[in-house]
Amino acid sequence: MVKVWIEKLLEEPELYLLRVDDDRIRYFEATWDIPEGITYNAYLMKLKDVVILFDAWKKDYTEEFIEALSSLVDPKEITHIVVHHTEPDHTGALPKLLELNEYKAQIIGTNFAKNLLQGFYGSDVVKNFHVVRDGEEVKIGDRTFRFITVPWLHWPDTMITYVIEDKLIFSCDAGGGYGIPRAIDDSDEEVVKEYLPYVTKYIVTVIGHYHKYIVQNIKKLKSLGIIESVRMILPGHGLIWRRNPVRIFEHYERVGAGIPTKDKVLVLYDSMYGFVEERMKVVIEELRKYNKKPVIYRFTDKEAPAVSDILGEVPDSEALIIGVSTYEADVHPRIRYTLYEILDKANYDKPVLIVGAFGWGGVAGKKIETLISRSKFELVEVVETKGRPTEEDKEKLREAVRRLIQWIS
Ligand code: FEO
């Protein structure tokens, strides 16, 4: 049975977390392998004469959502529903809830959100919709809610809510991550350490295409002066941040900007019959000689790592080394797809070395060179040679690795 958390977070204002741990999902957005699962977080605030719901859960968990919510309040008593972002992992359960609520609650969101909700669920859902503009403050009960748009975190519809009197930020996708943390908040450092790599993976796969907006939007929130003094950041996925709330946005900023971890080099390759692997062993040995720490992913006839995991390694790498076979006058299919996603989702200003192998004609290296030239990555060199590497080929590779190391030092 799926695990549901109903946790009281604050006495005043009375605030609850409603979290479901989705351990059935395998591919987020039908694409990204997440054996680690994900959580959907909604929040309920009870004030004098008003009850406010912030977001909901995915449709698959509608029944569990209604049951959890009903343990705190009769759905008919919900007066306001804040929709920060309309992607169905946060809105799928809304139509059923609104039906039980008899459409009494006012929905609050951006104009873009209204449009999308109508498209997803029909006109009934938006008939009592209050459109808010960026920075608009709305008094509900005895609290003041400021709605701040954060476009492209993760869709153009997205906003966050800042509760002025209590310094709370409801942030939906922004500040979220994959994984099912064994706690609800950041109070245990071990839990945070386990969780943060999943946050990086989430940022790259879900928001990566728009990663420049992460930096822009966090800058915007900082300029509004709401981050330094925030008491709690309450995302739509994963941990709540209340021991050190600023930390999650700092992490987002680092990933958005692609800040490297010292000496980390991502090494990625395919090897059908061992020829590329022989080259990569030389490369890896040379990297280690210079105290670099290669993080290695390989596609062989026995293993195929998840592309989502590879993407999560890109932002904090100092450089990338890609080993590739020419396959039917093209890039090996696994590397072709992985590279396509790297260039789309994790397109950073980092140096790349290409190591190619071919049987009767080297094509992959040239093709990758063209792709790299159209991206933010910088090509250090393509070393593409035939068949089993000779001693001369190996020396060329060592030299190329040394050039890469010079590039990043
Ligand atoms: Fe968690 Fe963009 O939805």
Side-chain angles (χ1 to χ4, degrees):
M1 215 169 85
V2 69
K3 182 166 171 58
V4 168
W5 305 64
I6 305 166
E7 302 281 333
K8 193 175 209 176
L9 301 174
L10 287 173
E11 286 291 344
E12 179 53 40
E14 197 178 337
L15 178 67
Y16 298 88
L17 162 72
L18 297 161
R19 168 178 136 178
V20 63
D21 295 351
D22 186 356
D23 58 0
R24 296 179 203 153
I25 190 167
R26 286 293 166 266
Y27 308 105
F28 193 73
E29 295 178 334
T31 299
W32 310 114
D33 298 60
I34 52 164
E36 64 271 29
I38 191 166
T39 80
Y40 313 110
N41 304 346
Y43 301 91
L44 190 80
M45 188 184 279
K46 291 184 180 179
L47 299 172
K48 191 171 180 305
D49 303 325
V50 289
V51 179
I52 309 159
L53 174 70
F54 298 88
D55 299 314
W57 295 350
K58 196 178 174 184
K59 188 180 174 191
D60 308 31
Y61 299 106
T62 300
E63 207 177 297
E64 291 86 349
F65 181 64
I66 301 296
E67 193 184 322
L69 196 60
S70 303
S71 72
L72 299 173
V73 67
D74 180 338
K76 284 194 189 70
E77 290 172 19
I78 295 172
T79 55
H80 299 80
I81 300 173
V82 177
V83 174
H84 292 110
H85 166 42
T86 53
E87 191 165 8
D89 53 331
H90 306 283
T91 59
L94 266 188
K96 183 68 191 170
L97 171 65
L98 282 167
E99 200 186 303
L100 295 172
N101 175 259
E102 295 167 359
Y103 301 95
K104 288 178 188 161
Q106 180 180 66
I107 301 187
I108 297 171
T110 61
N111 198 37
F112 215 114
K114 181 181 179 185
N115 193 294
L116 290 181
L117 274 190
Q118 183 169 3
F120 292 160
Y121 308 117
S123 302
D124 278 355
V125 168
V126 293
K127 63 187 176 191
N128 186 9
F129 196 106
H130 176 71
V131 170
V132 284
R133 295 178 315 277
D134 183 26
E136 186 171 331
E137 291 180 10
V138 178
K139 193 98 182 156
I140 305 173
D142 57 358
R143 294 301 199 271
T144 318
F145 298 81
R146 186 190 296 170
F147 302 103
I148 302 161
T149 59
V150 286
W152 303 107
L153 294 186
H154 147 235
W155 281 357
D157 61 348
T158 312
M159 66 175 196
I160 63 160
T161 300
Y162 180 61
V163 187
I164 293 178
E165 291 82 357
D166 309 291
K167 298 182 167 53
L168 306 175
I169 292 179
F170 294 92
S171 62
C172 203
D173 271 358
Y178 292 135
I180 299 180
R182 54 196 158 85
I184 60 161
D185 66 20
D186 62 339
S187 50
D188 181 337
E189 186 56 24
E190 282 307 306
V191 172
V192 174
K193 278 189 183 153
E194 283 167 21
Y195 174 61
L196 281 178
Y198 296 134
V199 175
T200 307
K201 179 176 166 181
Y202 169 85
I203 295 172
V204 181
T205 54
V206 177
I207 314 176
H209 182 76
Y210 311 110
H211 68 252
K212 72 174 181 187
Y213 295 100
I214 297 173
V215 178
Q216 278 178 21
N217 277 307
I218 292 180
K219 203 167 155 194
K220 173 180 174 178
L221 298 181
K222 278 184 175 166
S223 75
L224 294 172
I226 62 172
I227 292 196
E228 304 75 40
S229 56
V230 66
R231 185 176 166 200
M232 229 188 266
I233 292 176
L234 303 134
H237 302 289
L239 288 182
I240 289 168
W241 297 82
R242 54 180 167 183
R243 179 173 63 118
N244 181 7
V246 180
R247 185 173 178 185
I248 186 62
F249 281 166
E250 285 173 349
H251 185 83
Y252 262 65
E253 252 183 323
R254 273 198 303 279
V255 175
I259 305 296
T261 298
K262 191 170 161 20
D263 295 327
K264 174 173 171 179
V265 177
L266 176 59
V267 176
L268 161 70
Y269 63 93
D270 74 271
S271 194
M272 293 185 282
Y273 297 104
F275 296 127
V276 175
E277 184 142 68
E278 214 177 319
R279 287 165 171 80
M280 299 316 280
K281 279 182 181 163
V282 174
V283 164
I284 290 162
E285 193 182 87
E286 195 67 9
L287 280 173
R288 289 192 172 131
K289 211 188 280 176
Y290 288 87
N291 297 318
K292 295 292 169 194
K293 297 181 181 72
V295 174
I296 303 160
Y297 286 85
R298 56 188 186 171
F299 296 104
T300 69
D301 57 358
K302 295 184 186 61
E303 55 193 296
V307 172
S308 51
D309 288 331
I310 298 170
L311 288 171
E313 303 284 3
V314 180
D316 74 335
S317 290
E318 284 187 333
L320 275 60
I321 303 182
I322 302 175
V324 61
S325 314
T326 287
Y327 184 98
E328 294 174 352
D330 208 327
V331 177
H332 183 276
R334 296 265 196 195
I335 296 291
R336 201 187 315 161
Y337 172 61
T338 308
L339 192 63
Y340 177 89
E341 291 302 340
I342 289 177
L343 297 180
D344 181 46
K345 297 269 187 182
N347 187 10
Y348 293 95
D349 177 11
K350 296 180 188 286
V352 185
L353 170 64
I354 307 297
V355 176
F358 59 90
W360 57 93
V363 176
K366 292 278 172 302
K367 289 216 170 189
I368 294 182
E369 187 172 349
T370 306
L371 292 171
I372 296 281
S373 70
R374 294 176 190 147
S375 75
K376 288 186 189 164
F377 288 97
E378 293 179 88
L379 185 73
V380 177
E381 197 172 339
V382 178
V383 183
E384 190 165 36
T385 49
K386 184 175 177 174
R388 187 171 58 82
T390 61
E391 274 315 307
E392 197 185 330
D393 294 340
K394 288 180 182 175
E395 194 43 42
K396 269 191 207 162
L397 288 171
R398 290 188 196 99
E399 277 169 25
V401 171
R402 290 197 288 271
R403 254 193 297 283
L404 177 85
I405 289 170
Q406 269 177 355
W407 195 295
I408 53 185
S409 21

